[in-house]
Amino acid sequence: MTYYAAPGVKDLKMLPLLLTCPLRLQQAEEIAKVVAKYHGLERIDLNRKCRNSQIVTARQQACYIIRQRLTGISLNQIASIFGTAVNYDHAAVIHCDKTIKNYLAVNDLSTVQDIANIKIML
């Protein structure tokens, strides 16, 4: 199967997913951009294989918000947004979601404020 270049598609493995539900994945990509911008990062930083706490927190918050906002998107599709460099799969997305939910459950002030501010920016 031959794929032709599509605007904004850097990973050709993601192209079939974009063709199946382009609107949802574009919305997820926009959420990731907003979260990165909020944390003072570039969008590509969320795809880097890095354990810097700022990047990890931003990636976890992006997964959480995407999961909350876009209920029709699969866990594997959410994982594909962050690329193969960070070895994300459905289990990593579930872990991100649980981590942020735990922070919110104990009223972690930083996380509560971050999520609220990001939702306002969306």
Side-chain angles (χ1 to χ4, degrees), residues 11-120:
D11 185 3
L12 289 180
K13 292 178 185 174
M14 195 171 155
L15 191 58
L17 294 173
L18 286 171
L19 295 174
T20 57
C21 65
L23 184 59
R24 292 248 186 235
L25 288 174
Q26 287 175 356
Q27 290 171 337
E29 184 63 34
E30 286 302 315
I31 290 171
K33 286 179 186 177
V34 169
V35 172
K37 183 179 177 181
Y38 176 79
H39 286 281
L41 302 168
E42 295 293 322
R43 167 61 185 96
I44 193 71
D45 291 336
L46 299 183
N47 288 33
R48 294 205 173 133
K49 190 174 186 174
C50 175
R51 293 191 179 181
N52 177 318
S53 64
Q54 183 182 18
I55 293 173
V56 170
T57 299
R59 197 166 36 226
Q60 288 176 339
Q61 290 176 354
C63 284
Y64 171 79
I65 293 172
I66 290 169
R67 227 169 142 210
Q68 297 300 311
R69 292 266 172 128
L70 305 175
T71 55
I73 192 169
S74 75
L75 295 173
N76 285 327
Q77 288 173 323
I78 295 172
S80 73
I81 292 166
F82 299 102
T84 56
V86 292
N87 293 327
Y88 257 48
D89 60 3
H90 70 284
V93 175
I94 291 170
H95 174 72
C96 291
D97 190 55
K98 285 182 181 178
T99 300
I100 297 300
K101 283 181 180 177
N102 288 339
Y103 283 133
L104 294 175
V106 297
N107 287 324
D108 178 61
L109 187 59
S110 173
T111 304
V112 170
Q113 286 177 340
D114 286 349
I115 297 296
N117 291 335
I118 291 167
K119 286 184 177 180
I120 289 169

